[in-house]
Amino acid sequence: MAPPRVGLFLHDGENDYQQLMLQDAEQAARRHSLQLDVHVAGKDVDRQINQLKVAISAQSSARPELILVSPVREQLLLTLLRSAARAGIHWAFLTRWLDDIPALRREFPEVDIYSVSADQKEIGRLQGRQLDILRGPEDELIYLSGPAGTSSARQRAEGIQPELERARGKCQTFYGDWSQESGRAAARRWLAGFPKSQRPSFVIIGQNDNMAVGAREAVAASLDSSRGAKLRVIGCDGSFSFGQRLVSQGKLSATVVVPPVSGRAVDAFAQRLAGRGRPNAVETVAVASHPSLEALRTKHVRLRL
């Protein structure tokens, strides 16, 4: 008998965190003897929709029993989610949420529909605490959000909003697509509003490490080398090979470590197959500041002396 089939639908193949989720899903699939079919949308929502349509309408031998999706735009997938549920296909959102999930779980009680994610608001709150440590009273802030309308971007912004409001008009928000290039482009637009001779000190807060480091590159290139210490950069995702490495290299001041969630989603499916329970509507993973808030505070105070 062929092993149960799982379809993994990623929104981007180049993003470091997406690559981490691919590795996590592959390890979990091997652990549970599942077949993993991988699809990458390249940040193209129409391509992802088509990939999902093909998978849902496939013959039973080629159809996934579980769809794991890191969406380009989750709100546009509701019709497809319903189609999958009617076909008896389980569905898990990775790092995203739809308000329709509780109602869908009631409508399709035999199908598991769930989200596996970090606490997105807690990510925003952690970045707010990092910002409180790093920010000076005269600093200008740039906040780099993921795509408008995505649940993760919205909730991270809600978490950090109280700290951004303390900036009293010295914060501008730009939207990117999670890529370094979108961070660079946003920073260039931001810098255009300041005369080069009057560039203030900056704090960059990116909803992921890619956008944060892209913006850092654009700002650092515009500043005199003597002013480099004025630039502080906060990111998020914090993989060992990327975000944490950037902190150790001094390219990021801090990041938030978000473990990959795809393996957790596969584990929940495997437990169901084994008759050991079903996933909750929301399965969460813990996040942490890197470096710790205490270490960040100690380091920042030392730098100011």
Side-chain angles (χ1 to χ4, degrees), residues 27-302:
Q27 292 170 4
R30 286 194 296 270
R31 191 162 62 242
H32 299 295
S33 300
L34 303 172
Q35 179 172 333
L36 184 71
D37 300 324
V38 180
H39 309 268
V40 180
K43 296 181 287 190
D44 185 330
V45 65
D46 292 328
R47 183 179 180 186
Q48 186 170 71
I49 287 172
N50 186 62
Q51 290 170 338
L52 286 161
K53 283 181 177 178
V54 170
I56 293 167
S57 62
Q59 294 184 351
S60 58
S61 60
R63 186 186 306 152
E65 294 187 34
L66 169 68
I67 285 175
L68 305 176
V69 58
S70 174
V72 181
R73 292 287 191 279
E74 60 267 28
Q75 293 292 342
L76 300 180
L77 302 184
L78 180 57
T79 299
L80 285 169
L81 198 166
R82 286 184 174 277
S83 296
R86 282 194 290 269
I89 301 172
H90 309 287
W91 182 296
F93 280 113
L94 304 177
T95 73
R96 303 290 177 81
W97 169 259
L98 274 182
D99 290 340
D100 305 86
I101 288 177
L104 288 167
R105 285 168 64 93
R106 291 191 295 271
E107 183 178 352
F108 300 99
E110 300 305 314
V111 177
D112 290 337
I113 301 170
Y114 57 109
S115 167
V116 186
S117 179
D119 184 331
Q120 302 292 342
K121 287 187 180 180
E122 178 61 16
I123 289 173
R125 287 189 287 265
L126 266 179
Q127 286 193 314
R129 296 183 190 111
Q130 293 168 337
L131 177 60
D132 181 53
I133 293 168
L134 294 172
R135 173 179 169 264
E138 302 304 318
D139 286 334
E140 295 281 346
L141 312 182
I142 176 172
Y143 185 66
L144 301 171
S145 170
T150 57
S151 58
S152 55
R154 183 184 71 250
Q155 292 169 2
R156 291 179 190 189
E158 290 172 0
I160 197 174
Q161 191 59 37
E163 189 60 34
L164 296 183
E165 289 175 352
R166 293 180 58 195
R168 297 179 181 177
K170 291 188 175 184
C171 177
Q172 294 187 51
T173 297
F174 293 86
Y175 294 89
D177 63 2
W178 308 111
S179 68
Q180 290 189 34
E181 182 51 43
S182 69
R184 278 191 290 269
R188 292 186 187 116
R189 294 197 303 273
W190 182 51
L191 289 166
F194 299 99
K196 193 164 186 178
S197 60
Q198 300 176 16
R199 295 272 166 88
S201 58
F202 299 108
V203 182
I204 296 167
I205 311 102
Q207 285 194 345
N208 76 342
D209 294 328
N210 290 77
M211 291 191 298
V213 75
R216 181 197 183 281
E217 290 170 357
V219 173
S222 75
L223 296 176
D224 296 333
S225 59
S226 62
R227 300 191 60 195
K230 299 282 189 178
L231 179 59
R232 281 131 293 142
V233 187
I234 297 170
C236 180
D237 289 344
S239 71
F240 181 78
S241 63
F242 189 65
Q244 294 182 47
R245 174 174 57 82
L246 292 173
V247 172
S248 67
Q249 293 173 345
K251 294 180 180 179
L252 293 180
S253 305
T255 187
V256 176
V257 177
V258 183
V261 297
S262 50
R264 175 79 168 268
V266 173
D267 289 342
F269 175 63
Q271 289 177 1
R272 186 193 205 283
L273 291 177
R276 297 198 302 269
R278 301 174 63 179
N280 298 314
V282 182
E283 299 281 333
T284 58
V285 298
V287 298
S289 174
H290 179 81
S292 70
L293 295 176
E294 180 180 356
L296 183 64
R297 186 176 294 106
T298 300
K299 179 180 179 181
H300 187 57
V301 168
R302 187 166 62 245

